[in-house]
Amino acid sequence: MADARRLDTGRVRAALRSRVSALRAAGARAVGQVHGAAMAAELRALLADRDTAVAANAAFALGLLRDTAAVPALAGALAGPPEVAAQAAWSLGQIGAPARQAIEGALANASRPPSVIGALLLAAARLSPVPTDAAVRYFGHVDPGVRWRAVYVVARSYAPAGVRAVLPLAGDTSALVRAQVARALARRAAGDSLAGEALAALAGLARDARPHVRIEALRALGSYGERARDPVWAALRDSSANVRVTAAQALSDALGSNRARWMEAWRADTTFMFRRTLLAAALHDDVVLPAADLDEPDSWVHQGDWRYRAAVADAGAAAPSIERMREVSLPLARDPDGRVRVAGYAAMAPYADSASGHPWRREFMYVGLEDWDPYVRATAIQSLAARATAAEARRVLASWWLDARDSVMDARLAAVRLFASAWRRDSAAFGDSLAHALRSLPAPREPLVRAAADGVSLFDAWRRVPLPPGPPLDWYRAQVRSLVEPALAGTLPHAVIETVRGPIELELFALDAPLTVSNFLRLARSGYYEHIAFHRVVPDFVAQDGDRRGDGNGGPAYTIRDELNRRRYDRGAVGMALSGPDTGGSQYFLTLSPQPHLDGGYTVFGRVVSGFDAMDALVQGDSILDLRAR
């Protein structure tokens, strides 16, 4: 039922009457997963259930529904068992402004369990403006988990009112606290009045024993430009590759147009990811390094490895003017490799969407509509969609025959969104022939593409065509037998990612996300993940892989539904990468540090249980040698 996204109230009520605790808990959670607002009142009643798993899942589902009527009941649940209270706090944060009074009132009671206080602080971080005073009261809490969450409230929102109170915590015993302190001291929060004190604290944090702290300090230092040049420059020779990459990025605005210093920085590290980052940082300051210069014989534009050419196109997107971007990136939109062309078109996309400027910017994207690479077409179509006209809808329709042949749906989805946008903005100009041609398009098989046409009269006929049937009931029964039943008995599946940095062992949450785990295991056992790279590593954020194409766009030519659950994005969580709701496939990520803002938005389906050093050492481009599931 949850996988089909169709609320079956009778089935849920039958589950909630079961004597099997896991079935009752699954029923409560499923209401949120299928957006079943019709059962919100029943979820509110379940907050008082004697089974804490059922009550906590009911609280979670109310948060997914953002049920404002549940605020009093959720506030009352804060006095219940810690497991339920912490989940109620998260849901109050999801509800946001209508729950402000409940969140702030609850934070006034410092006698609550640390897990509940921490959850309330994370809920407070979702408010705007954040209750800075309420967070600052917990800066001295004995529990480091409470302290870092209190600082997170200030850091996440760049709240100026909390900067002075944050400064003494630069020497905290917890590295998580120190990392959040570094984030909180960015120039956006410190301003001019506290810039001197903030810079002094950040210079110390940039030499911290923990790489995660140094990374956050360098990011904050980068916001100060030339004033932070010395500590950033020193970090170019850090022992950690990811610290060096972050330092390269932080040099934007620090070196200005001093080409000699940029070249000196280039020679400081020969690794690909460092130099790729430095290219973009230099172009941000309008300095074209030789690797990005088309006329240089050693330019990366002439390299045989597509990654180098794509890096130049990506770097051009950071240029301060369209003229410089055009010089660096646009030649690569004609590259023979589709992955490079995507990067070239993506660099141009923001300019094509601009309401001002020469029409050539959008005309350039028209060329991409006929590209054989589906991701080039998707990029071009997306850049036109927000201000699409009837004439552009006709152009996109002319390329639909290419989209219809794709094994992936990206271009089809972008096209339907453009048709819908153009119809809303410019329907009077469509004419009978264009409208008839669009009405005659066959109903897509993908639910996401159909959903993009919701509310658009052009595609009314699609609603009358049934979607292809999902897997048979026996398939779901097989997942229960192979994954859910063993999980209930205490046996969870594991997988080992063999990387060039060492092995990383995962424990997979077969009870919380059985269909996601099933998909991951099937791909792993088929060899899908062998000899591919971590195509995206953002230091102290995530390491992501699962794309055999290698540029972040690839997948298995199908999507799976999200299985949102109560698991949190702590350090080492394994999450399903998405480009929107229900767009998971093969790409997944590991969180390198806690990321509370991802909770409830992406499926958590596992956690790292060993190999943290290998995980921390991952650099973008590092290879997976093997991924063994057991």
Side-chain angles (χ1 to χ4, degrees):
M1 186 205 73
D3 198 33
R5 292 294 190 266
R6 289 191 294 269
L7 178 65
D8 183 336
T9 56
R11 189 172 301 280
V12 172
R13 287 171 182 144
L16 293 174
R17 290 192 300 269
S18 171
R19 294 181 179 180
V20 179
S21 173
L23 183 54
R24 296 184 69 234
R29 183 181 62 198
V31 176
Q33 291 177 330
V34 302
H35 315 297
M39 294 190 71
E42 290 167 76
L43 291 175
R44 290 175 222 141
L46 287 172
L47 293 174
D49 198 276
R50 287 181 296 178
D51 187 326
T52 56
V54 174
N57 270 7
F60 174 72
L62 288 166
L64 292 182
L65 296 177
R66 289 176 168 79
D67 179 33
T68 56
V71 169
L74 289 167
L78 295 173
E83 179 185 1
V84 180
Q87 190 54 60
W90 178 83
S91 294
L92 289 168
Q94 289 292 105
I95 293 168
R100 173 181 286 276
Q101 186 175 355
I103 295 169
E104 293 184 356
L107 280 171
N109 181 0
S111 65
R112 297 180 188 277
S115 62
V116 179
I117 295 173
L120 284 165
L121 287 166
L122 295 181
R126 292 178 177 269
L127 300 175
S128 181
V130 296
T132 305
D133 290 344
V136 169
R137 284 200 297 271
Y138 288 98
F139 280 8
H141 198 279
V142 66
D143 189 307
V146 170
R147 292 201 303 278
W148 84 253
R149 288 171 174 84
V151 181
Y152 176 87
V153 175
V154 175
R156 176 84 179 154
S157 60
Y158 298 101
V163 172
R164 191 173 296 279
V166 158
L167 283 164
L169 292 175
D172 195 275
T173 56
S174 167
L176 280 175
V177 174
R178 298 196 302 275
Q180 292 303 322
V181 168
R183 292 182 64 188
L185 295 178
R187 189 175 186 278
R188 177 177 164 185
D192 293 330
S193 60
L194 289 175
E197 294 174 73
L199 280 166
L202 288 169
L205 291 167
R207 299 188 298 272
D208 194 274
R210 297 292 297 274
H212 295 295
V213 179
R214 300 200 297 275
I215 286 166
E216 296 300 341
L218 287 165
R219 286 201 178 112
L221 283 165
S223 66
Y224 288 89
E226 189 175 356
R227 297 178 67 180
R229 182 179 58 203
D230 291 346
V232 172
W233 187 265
L236 294 179
R237 290 169 174 80
D238 194 275
S239 59
S240 164
N242 280 312
V243 173
R244 297 195 300 273
V245 167
T246 308
Q249 189 175 41
L251 282 176
S252 289
D253 298 325
L255 298 185
S257 59
N258 189 330
R259 185 180 178 82
R261 294 301 299 274
W262 281 109
M263 289 305 300
E264 188 180 349
W266 181 264
R267 292 187 290 270
D269 190 329
T270 61
T271 59
F272 171 69
M273 194 57 205
F274 175 87
R275 288 187 163 181
R276 172 182 176 157
T277 304
L278 200 71
L279 272 187
L283 272 163
H284 180 269
D285 286 355
D286 208 24
V287 174
V288 182
L289 296 178
D293 190 338
L294 184 65
D295 296 327
E296 288 281 343
D298 294 330
S299 170
W300 283 7
V301 173
H302 309 307
Q303 291 283 335
D305 188 332
W306 71 270
R307 296 177 305 148
Y308 287 80
R309 305 195 305 276
V312 175
D314 286 336
S321 67
I322 189 172
E323 290 76 21
R324 183 67 78 194
M325 183 281 300
R326 185 177 183 178
E327 170 192 331
V328 173
S329 297
L330 289 204
L332 292 158
R334 299 189 295 271
D335 193 271
D337 194 302
R339 295 167 292 190
V340 181
R341 296 199 302 278
V342 167
Y345 275 92
M348 180 64 195
Y351 297 97
D353 191 38
S354 173
S356 60
H358 197 280
W360 78 264
R361 301 176 182 182
R362 294 178 75 81
E363 291 167 3
F364 175 81
M365 290 298 178
Y366 299 161
V367 179
L369 300 181
E370 299 177 357
D371 198 286
W372 283 98
D373 189 290
Y375 300 105
V376 173
R377 270 180 276 118
T379 301
I381 295 168
Q382 287 165 7
S383 74
L384 301 170
R387 298 190 300 111
T389 63
E392 287 172 335
R394 189 178 294 279
R395 286 182 177 274
V396 172
L397 178 61
S399 69
W400 179 264
W401 67 275
L402 280 172
D403 304 340
R405 291 182 179 183
D406 293 338
S407 61
V408 295
M409 67 174 179
D410 297 63
R412 290 191 291 276
L413 178 59
V416 171
R417 286 173 174 165
L418 181 140
F419 297 147
S421 173
W423 181 253
R424 294 185 186 105
R425 297 180 71 255
D426 197 26
S427 59
F430 266 55
D432 292 341
S433 62
L434 177 58
H436 174 74
L438 289 171
R439 289 191 178 102
S440 301
L441 290 177
R445 295 175 57 84
E446 303 94 346
L448 287 174
V449 181
R450 296 266 195 107
D454 283 351
V456 180
S457 59
L458 278 174
F459 303 112
D460 281 347
W462 288 3
R463 289 194 290 273
R464 296 190 290 272
V465 179
L467 284 165
L473 195 57
D474 280 347
W475 181 85
Y476 292 100
R477 289 193 179 101
Q479 309 313 308
V480 172
R481 292 190 184 105
S482 63
L483 292 170
V484 177
E485 287 184 359
L488 287 170
T491 301
L492 294 176
H494 283 234
V496 177
I497 311 171
E498 292 287 355
T499 78
V500 293
R501 306 286 176 177
I504 302 170
E505 183 177 2
L506 313 179
E507 179 181 75
L508 304 175
F509 299 146
L511 186 59
D512 303 273
L515 303 185
T516 307
V517 169
S518 174
N519 176 70
F520 179 77
L521 291 173
R522 182 180 60 80
L523 290 170
R525 288 165 179 154
S526 73
Y528 187 93
Y529 293 112
E530 292 178 10
H531 305 297
I532 61 176
F534 282 91
H535 63 270
R536 179 181 182 229
V537 176
V538 182
D540 201 38
F541 178 36
V542 296
Q544 182 171 332
D545 81 83
D547 172 20
R548 296 199 65 83
R549 178 182 163 100
D551 65 350
N553 288 307
Y558 63 80
T559 59
I560 62 173
R561 297 285 199 182
D562 299 336
E563 289 181 288
L564 303 181
N565 57 66
R566 290 194 289 122
R567 297 284 186 170
R568 295 291 177 252
Y569 278 100
D570 300 322
R571 168 169 155 78
V574 185
M576 181 56 67
L578 305 173
S579 57
D582 297 328
T583 56
S586 58
Q587 292 193 36
Y588 67 94
F589 59 88
L590 314 175
T591 49
L592 305 175
S593 62
Q595 301 297 328
H597 68 288
L598 301 179
D599 293 346
Y602 297 76
T603 302
V604 183
F605 68 97
R607 68 184 180 103
V608 174
V609 292
S610 68
F612 282 93
D613 288 345
M615 181 184 78
D616 290 338
L618 290 171
V619 178
Q620 186 164 310
D622 280 352
S623 295
I624 292 177
L625 307 176
D626 191 15
L627 201 162
R628 302 189 309 276
R630 54 182 176 85

